Amino acid sequence: MTMGDATTFPVLSLLLGLPLLGTGFCLLFRRNADECRWASLATTLAVLVVSVWCFLQSPGPDGWYLVEDYRWIPWLGARFTLAMDGISLLMVLLTAFLQVIAVLISWHQKKHPALLFSLLLLLEAGLLGVFLATDLLLFYLFWEMMLIPMFFLIGVWGHGRRVYAAVKFFLFTLAGSLLMLVAIIGLYLLHGRQTGDYTFALEALKATNCGALEPWLYAGFMIGFLVKVPVVPLHTWLPDAHTVAPGAGSLDLAGLLLKTGVFGILRFAFPLFPASAAASLPALAVLALVGLFYAAWCAYLQEDVKRLIAYSSISHLGVILLGLAAGSRLALEGAILLMACHGLTTGALFALVSMLRRRTGTRELAKLGGLWKEAPIFSWFFLYFSLASLGLPGLANFSGEILVFAGTFQTRPLWGALAVLGVVFAAAYMLRMVQGVLWGKRPPGRPWVDLTWREGLTLAALAFFTLWLGVQPGTFIEPLHLPVQTLLEGTRLLAAAGGAP
């Protein structure tokens, strides 16, 4: 895939610059919490407006919506290159929207509010950079940049064993990132020795003849990405991080950070190492199916609602990885769409659990029950997003899952049949959670108040797009056609999967 001409106005740089400016403002005026709250909300809304403008544009004949390329470190061969195709566009939209939600659900945070909002904006800048960078060194810097704000969000604003969870998150993801860095340097040197052109540009590196080193370089990239997904058995950091993280931290973890691993596989690992990618599809499918069933079983056994949802995320990511392993256009488009769907539905559930804990002081199923009568609006949203996460037809997750299952049946019927059984497990743990929270015997204690107007509007926005993705998924699938087809044609995934469309 070749990139089109750079845009006259640096829209992509603006996307990155806005949250960085907001971060600076919050740190500069950190003594005024109200100003920081409104500045953070205004910044995230501005990023959302620019993202929507990008969505309304038409891609070029090569599939790229916008491209920017600037000199950065000439002696090292690194450039500041940003590019947006249909896949990154969907991820940018998801990031921009969920960060508005993250600011709103953190509105009444009393502990160091200015620092909290500055970290949320810094995290947004890092995420946007990951989804837009096409220079591998630039991508790696943004990849590491995401670690810092999330580490502090968990370690400072979490509860319980927050330091343990933050350090575990940091060590797991850093270890995977260092392996990826070694692979990046190896690819950079190999390409330079072959061509005399030492560069980190993705398009140039695709032409590198890796020879016997390809499986090792591919493994370095994949481990870094699979830790972030995460796959079983590299997943243990995620439930611990979710359990102690604040509401905005859990929303960003489930809704956005987990998606960076899958995006990295699609943008870098598969295109750079097509032969190894094709050979690894069966192993990737095994990891996907193991994660789907194991995490679903663990979710059913949980007594903490937040931990249950955390394991459900791992199970859903198993379906997404299966879509990648299937190697068909339909399954790949479904997997990418499911990333957005999962970000909305699971992010909403984590926001609801944060609101639930503020009202009840607990997340244990044994200490909940009878909420339907006392807080009917909250209960309606909780049921709505639980059913969406379950894959109810007409809501978000169903549209992505049905494409993944249909595409997998085209190429690997056995894989598809096994994955469909995972829906039964999902029904078991989600219905157990709904029963325990909304119905049953009301434990003694103070009355549980319903949603505030701000909480209601926040959840209503999430509910609207969850419905939109369920009934009109074509709006977001259409931009994926060309980049997915290009990915399949540029690699051996289609042939490895059996040649299905």
Side-chain angles (χ1 to χ4, degrees), residues 111-131:
K111 183 179 181 180
H112 309 304
L115 182 57
L116 172 69
F117 289 117
S118 66
L119 289 174
L120 288 176
L121 293 174
L122 182 63
L123 178 60
E124 182 174 29
L127 287 162
L128 292 171
V130 165
F131 294 135

Side-chain angles (χ1 to χ4, degrees), residues 71-417:
R71 289 171 59 86
W72 183 28
I73 314 177
W75 61 269
L76 193 59
R79 298 185 67 84
F80 193 90
T81 308
L82 306 174
M84 176 186 285
D85 65 356
I87 301 173
S88 52
L89 171 62
L90 187 59
M91 293 299 100
V92 166
L93 280 171
L94 180 67
T95 302
F97 178 65
L98 287 185
Q99 283 307 92
V100 175
I101 304 299
V103 169
L104 289 174
I105 67 174
S106 306
W107 198 258
H108 293 297
Q109 177 62 246
K110 297 179 180 179
K111 183 179 181 180
H112 309 304
L115 182 57
L116 172 69
F117 289 117
S118 66
L119 289 174
L120 288 176
L121 293 174
L122 182 63
L123 178 60
E124 182 174 29
L127 287 162
L128 292 171
V130 165
F131 294 135
L132 294 173
T134 57
D135 179 280
L136 265 69
L137 183 60
L138 182 64
F139 167 80
Y140 184 78
L141 290 178
F142 282 121
W143 182 268
E144 291 298 280
M145 180 177 165
M146 296 187 304
L147 269 179
I148 301 169
M150 184 53 66
F151 173 80
F152 286 107
L153 285 171
I154 297 171
V156 176
W157 287 272
H159 57 275
R161 301 176 67 192
R162 63 181 186 271
V163 175
Y164 166 81
V167 171
K168 189 174 182 179
F169 158 76
F170 187 85
L171 292 178
F172 264 77
T173 52
L174 182 63
S177 298
L178 290 177
L179 287 174
M180 182 169 66
L181 177 61
V182 171
I184 290 173
I185 295 173
L187 184 63
Y188 166 80
L189 294 175
L190 190 61
H191 180 83
R193 289 169 184 169
Q194 289 177 4
T195 65
D197 177 25
Y198 287 88
T199 178
F200 290 97
L202 173 62
E203 294 301 315
L205 292 175
K206 286 180 183 179
T208 308
N209 180 12
C210 298
L213 290 177
E214 178 170 331
W216 297 100
L217 297 174
Y218 176 69
F221 275 84
M222 287 297 287
I223 292 173
F225 294 140
L226 292 176
V227 167
K228 193 64 70 73
V229 170
V231 299
V232 176
L234 305 174
H235 69 290
T236 57
W237 64 268
L238 182 63
D240 291 337
H242 271 309
T243 301
V244 304
S250 287
L251 184 146
D252 281 339
L253 263 177
L256 300 172
L257 260 75
L258 305 190
K259 311 307 182 298
T260 60
V262 180
F263 179 85
I265 294 173
L266 291 171
R267 174 67 82 233
F268 297 101
F270 280 2
L272 287 171
F273 313 104
S276 296
S280 72
L281 293 186
L284 191 63
V286 170
L287 290 174
L289 291 170
V290 168
L292 193 162
F293 286 100
Y294 174 78
W297 176 250
C298 290
Y300 183 79
L301 297 177
Q302 300 306 309
E303 294 298 329
D304 185 308
V305 178
K306 201 173 187 184
R307 202 169 178 87
L308 186 156
I309 300 171
Y311 274 108
S312 78
S313 289
I314 301 173
S315 185
H316 283 119
L317 266 294
V319 178
I320 293 172
L321 278 180
L322 184 66
L324 272 59
S328 74
R329 179 186 60 80
L330 200 60
L332 270 175
E333 290 179 359
I336 298 166
L337 181 66
L338 187 55
M339 285 199 287
C341 297
H342 174 266
L344 292 176
T345 57
T346 304
L349 285 173
F350 277 120
L352 281 160
V353 171
S354 178
M355 298 171 190
L356 178 68
R357 188 175 185 274
R358 285 202 297 267
R359 285 161 169 77
T360 65
T362 184
R363 299 190 311 250
E364 295 182 36
L365 285 172
K367 297 180 181 180
L368 296 167
L371 199 63
W372 187 268
K373 292 183 179 180
E374 295 199 30
I377 301 176
F378 174 94
S379 300
W380 184 89
F381 278 115
F382 193 87
L383 179 61
Y384 177 88
F385 288 112
S386 298
L387 293 176
S389 181
L390 176 60
L392 185 73
L395 298 179
N397 281 31
F398 177 80
S399 58
E401 288 177 353
I402 196 65
L403 290 176
V404 171
F405 294 151
T408 305
F409 270 108
Q410 288 179 338
T411 57
R412 302 286 186 175
L414 179 59
W415 297 357

